[in-house]
Structures are given as structure tokens and as C-alpha cells.
Amino acid sequence: MLRASPCRFYSPRLALTRQVGVTAEILPMKGSIARPSRQRCLVTSSRSSAQQRAAPAASRLAETAQHYGVSLKPLHQDFGVLIEGLNLTKPLDTEHQQLLHELWREHLLLVFRAGYLDPGSQERLLRYFPHDADALNEGRFGNAYFQPRVPSNPVLAVRGHNVTLKEHEGVKEEALKKCQLGGNPFDESRLWHMDMSDLPTPCEVSAMYMVHPAEDGGDDTIFASTEKMFEDLDEVTKKQILPLRTVNRKASEFQGFHMNWEGTRRLDEFEERLKQATEKGILIEPAPNPFVIKDPDNAKPAILVSAQRVYHFEGMNRADSVALLDKVLTHGTGDKDIYKHRWQPNDFAIWANRRLIHTASPAKGFSHTKDKMRLYHLVFLDSKKPILPANEA
């Protein structure tokens, strides 16, 4: 049984998210493992409708919490939940695997705070979420260009900055130097984006396991829901963007660009860089993707976009496309719309890549300098599930 106390609002200065706390007590159920005291589960929301949507998942998680001492704390009024107290060093049974999957579908972002997880435990947890099993078993990774990989579990790409370790999870010092991103390593990641959004089947699941966050906290990751982004648009704009398709360019083929302060678009001489890339024969232009999609398992429309890769909308010139993209992204990434995650060692974030957009602190930028080390594992789980245009039945 859940008993909720009244909501209490918290709005910090320069708030990047508005959080509302509801504390629920989990009372022992007949036949459950005895506990010397009541377990506490934090359930956060700001709207009665959001509370109603989350209620079934919260109830199921409450059962898990009784057995595993799990604490559930939603991170934002629209999405995201922090999970603590779950033992992830051992396999979970089918019931609890299904529970995590349903929580992921409901909350879009799961952050596990369970202490150190070895690479095998990380991969096992990832396999509880949607993925292309054949690709994973055969070692075919959509982000294979990220090197080095953890030898025992190559689905885990090792990424970071100024890594000074002699060894990490079987990766030797020389290989660790390859994960240096070089120069200002965060130009591209500070643009709002989804991973692999230019592909016909973008990954459904992206994940980061933080090994060593920057000491000064300058490596925060910010998330926003593109379901909510679309939902909050005016009806005229919704009608305008529903049939649009994005023409994307591979940003990785011509690096070194600059962005605007909000992280919504590039400011460099994009056309000149495209021309140079074409002359070198390295330009890759994927097939256009729908700008607004709907997941086969979720009828709600969501915007599919990466600001560093969109060149224009099909049938629209670049200037008008940039203006429209700015309008949509700026509208959906205000302070009330975003959650900023301050990384702690061993945090494991797993999110719905087709329904959340993320960035590496665009307006702030990274404050740490070259003497600050950052090290993490990055995963894009390949998918066979197609994307569906939201304007098609």
C-alpha cells in the first residue's frame, strides 16, 4: 500500500529543472521478506496525470523494493527516474527484467546508482532492454568507430578526456590514449542530439556508465523529452512539421565546427565545409528521415533530430529550415523542460534514444581544462525496429 504526503516544490536558483517531491512509504506485504523498518520509495511528479500514468509502474517497483531495498526517485516532472538499492551484480529474474523494461518505456531515462559494475554486469543489464540480439552477439556495433572497446565486452566503448590510467578493464595505456577526443572535444556533443538519428533504424537505447567524472562537475549531461517538445507546440506548428523529413549530413566527416550558444545549430561555414568534403569524396548523405515519429509501441508523437546533422528539411531551403529547427528546439529545451544530470562515479544511465534528446551542457560549455580526467563507457544498442512517421496511420 502506498501513502503519499503532500507535494513540496523545490526551485533552485538558475534551475535547470523544476522538481516536485512526493514521498511514499512502502509497507511490508504479507509473505514478503521481513524488514526491521519501513522501506522508503521516493516518487516524484508535478501533475496528477503524470502521477496516474506512473502509478502502475511505481506499484510494481514497490514490490521489488520490498525484496531488494530499492529507492525510486523520478528526476523530472515529465521523465527520468533514479534507481538505487538494486543488486545488479547478479542476473535478475524475468519478473524484474520486465519491470525495468516497463519503467524504461514509462520514464524514458533510468539512472542506476548501484556502485561499481564490472563490464559483464553492465552488458547483462543492457540486454534487458530493446536491442538487435544478432548484431550484439556477432559484435556488429553501430558506433564501432569509437575506440578502444572493453576486450571482454566490446559493446562497451571507452571514451573520455585526458585519461592518465595505466590500465582500465583490460584496456592498456596505449589504447586508452586513443579515447582522447582532442582539442575542444565537446563541440559536437554540446549540440542537442539523438544518437545515430540519421540512420534508417536509429538505436532505441543509448547508455553511459560513468567511470570517472570530471572533478569540477563540468561534464553534466542534459536531457529533454521530444514527446513533450511536440506536445507543447502550437497547433499550427504541429501541422507544419508533421509531414517534414530531415536531410542529414554526417557531421563526423568534417569536424571542427562551431555552434550557437543554445546548442540548437551550427554557426560555421557549413556550405563551404560540405563542398570541401564532397571534393574529397568523403560526404555521406543518408536517406531522409521523418522529423516527427511514433514508436510502434507508443502512439505519442516524438521529434527525431540531431542538430549537428540536419542540413535542411526536404522541400525547404536551408535558411527556413534552420529558423524552424531553432524554433522547435528552443521551445522544447527551456529550463522547465530539461533535466541536468550531475554525474557520480559508477552512475549508469540508460535512456530511450528515440524519445529523448540530450546534450553536454550547451550554454555553459565544459568548464574543466586539459588537466581534468573524464572516463566513461558509451553504448548505442543497435535496433531492427523501424521508425514510423507520425502522420501515417
Side-chain angles (χ1 to χ4, degrees):
M1 180 178 69
L2 294 176
R3 290 206 298 261
S5 64
C7 294
R8 292 189 301 172
F9 289 81
Y10 171 65
S11 180
R13 186 182 180 189
L14 299 179
L16 290 172
T17 179
R18 187 182 308 164
Q19 297 179 339
V20 186
V22 179
T23 301
E25 294 183 346
I26 302 173
L27 303 180
M29 295 175 61
K30 185 176 182 180
S32 66
I33 296 177
R35 297 288 181 185
S37 63
R38 292 175 176 176
Q39 303 295 321
R40 296 181 66 82
C41 173
L42 294 179
V43 182
T44 306
S45 180
S46 67
R47 302 178 181 180
S48 59
S49 60
Q51 291 174 338
Q52 291 171 1
R53 290 196 305 269
S59 297
R60 286 189 292 273
L61 188 61
E63 296 177 9
T64 305
Q66 288 186 321
H67 293 281
Y68 295 98
V70 173
S71 172
L72 171 66
K73 181 181 179 181
L75 301 169
H76 183 268
Q77 61 189 20
D78 297 318
F79 64 91
V81 66
L82 175 69
I83 299 176
E84 295 180 289
L86 188 61
N87 184 359
L88 299 175
T89 63
K90 298 180 180 179
L92 299 179
D93 59 31
T94 302
E95 178 184 1
H96 297 125
Q97 292 179 35
Q98 181 63 27
L99 174 65
L100 292 183
H101 181 268
E102 291 178 4
L103 284 173
W104 173 81
R105 293 215 61 84
E106 177 71 27
H107 295 287
L108 308 184
L109 167 66
L110 304 184
V111 178
F112 295 90
R113 193 159 285 166
Y116 169 74
L117 293 178
D118 62 61
S121 296
Q122 293 174 43
E123 179 171 339
R124 181 174 58 242
L125 178 59
L126 288 165
R127 286 177 177 265
Y128 297 153
F129 300 93
H131 64 279
D132 180 348
D134 292 335
L136 197 56
N137 293 335
E138 296 168 10
R140 294 184 284 108
F141 310 120
N143 65 345
Y145 45 83
F146 286 146
Q147 296 291 331
R149 323 287 290 198
V150 174
S152 61
N153 302 86
V155 67
L156 307 174
V158 181
R159 307 296 289 159
H161 182 60
N162 197 43
V163 179
T164 57
L165 300 179
K166 298 297 184 181
E167 186 272 345
H168 170 69
E169 303 292 10
V171 182
K172 302 302 181 182
E173 183 178 12
E174 282 302 309
L176 285 173
K177 292 179 180 179
K178 296 180 181 179
C179 74
Q180 300 282 35
L181 302 180
N184 180 354
F186 307 107
D187 281 338
E188 181 173 347
S189 63
R190 285 208 306 266
L191 284 161
W192 285 104
H193 66 283
M194 293 170 166
D195 299 317
M196 303 170 67
S197 65
D198 56 318
L199 298 183
T201 54
C203 55
E204 293 181 80
V205 177
S206 292
M208 284 180 63
Y209 178 84
M210 184 56 64
V211 177
H212 190 289
E215 293 178 3
D216 63 358
D219 57 354
D220 307 326
T221 301
I222 304 176
F223 297 89
S225 166
T226 62
E227 288 182 347
K228 195 68 168 59
M229 185 180 293
F230 180 84
E231 179 183 326
D232 287 349
L233 288 170
D234 61 84
E235 293 303 317
V236 173
T237 305
K238 286 181 181 179
K239 184 176 180 180
Q240 180 185 12
I241 69 174
L242 265 176
L244 293 181
R245 292 159 60 86
T246 55
V247 177
N248 299 283
R249 308 284 186 167
K250 281 283 188 181
S252 58
E253 300 296 343
F254 37 96
Q255 296 287 356
F257 58 80
H258 300 284
M259 62 178 187
N260 67 334
W261 187 253
E262 295 78 19
T264 59
R265 61 185 170 90
R266 297 171 57 153
L267 294 177
D268 58 336
E269 296 295 333
F270 198 18
E271 286 78 2
E272 180 60 29
R273 290 181 179 274
L274 287 172
K275 180 181 177 182
Q276 294 174 3
T278 302
E279 291 172 350
K280 294 178 182 179
I282 62 174
L283 178 62
I284 301 175
E285 182 177 328
N289 268 343
F291 185 44
V292 185
I293 65 169
K294 59 181 178 182
D295 192 282
D297 299 324
N298 176 16
K300 294 181 67 175
I303 290 169
L304 180 77
V305 68
S306 289
Q308 77 267 46
R309 297 189 176 186
V310 174
Y311 183 58
H312 66 90
F313 293 112
E314 201 171 41
M316 185 182 298
N317 63 47
R318 175 158 168 76
D320 291 342
S321 299
V322 168
L324 181 57
L325 183 60
D326 268 355
K327 175 183 177 181
V328 172
L329 288 179
T330 302
H331 170 83
T333 56
D335 286 354
K336 67 179 178 59
D337 305 301
I338 63 179
Y339 164 68
K340 178 181 179 181
H341 186 67
R342 177 63 56 88
W343 291 98
Q344 295 186 20
N346 302 314
D347 276 359
F348 200 177
I350 300 176
W351 66 90
N353 180 61
R354 298 183 185 182
R355 299 158 69 192
L356 287 182
I357 199 169
H358 65 284
T359 179
S361 305
K364 170 186 173 184
F366 276 65
S367 61
H368 66 273
T369 56
K370 292 183 179 180
D371 64 339
K372 306 292 184 182
M373 185 177 83
R374 184 191 194 217
L375 182 65
Y376 61 96
H377 298 162
L378 180 64
V379 178
F380 303 161
L381 286 182
D382 292 80
S383 174
K384 290 182 178 179
K385 185 176 292 186
I387 51 176
L388 303 177
N391 64 329
E392 294 184 4

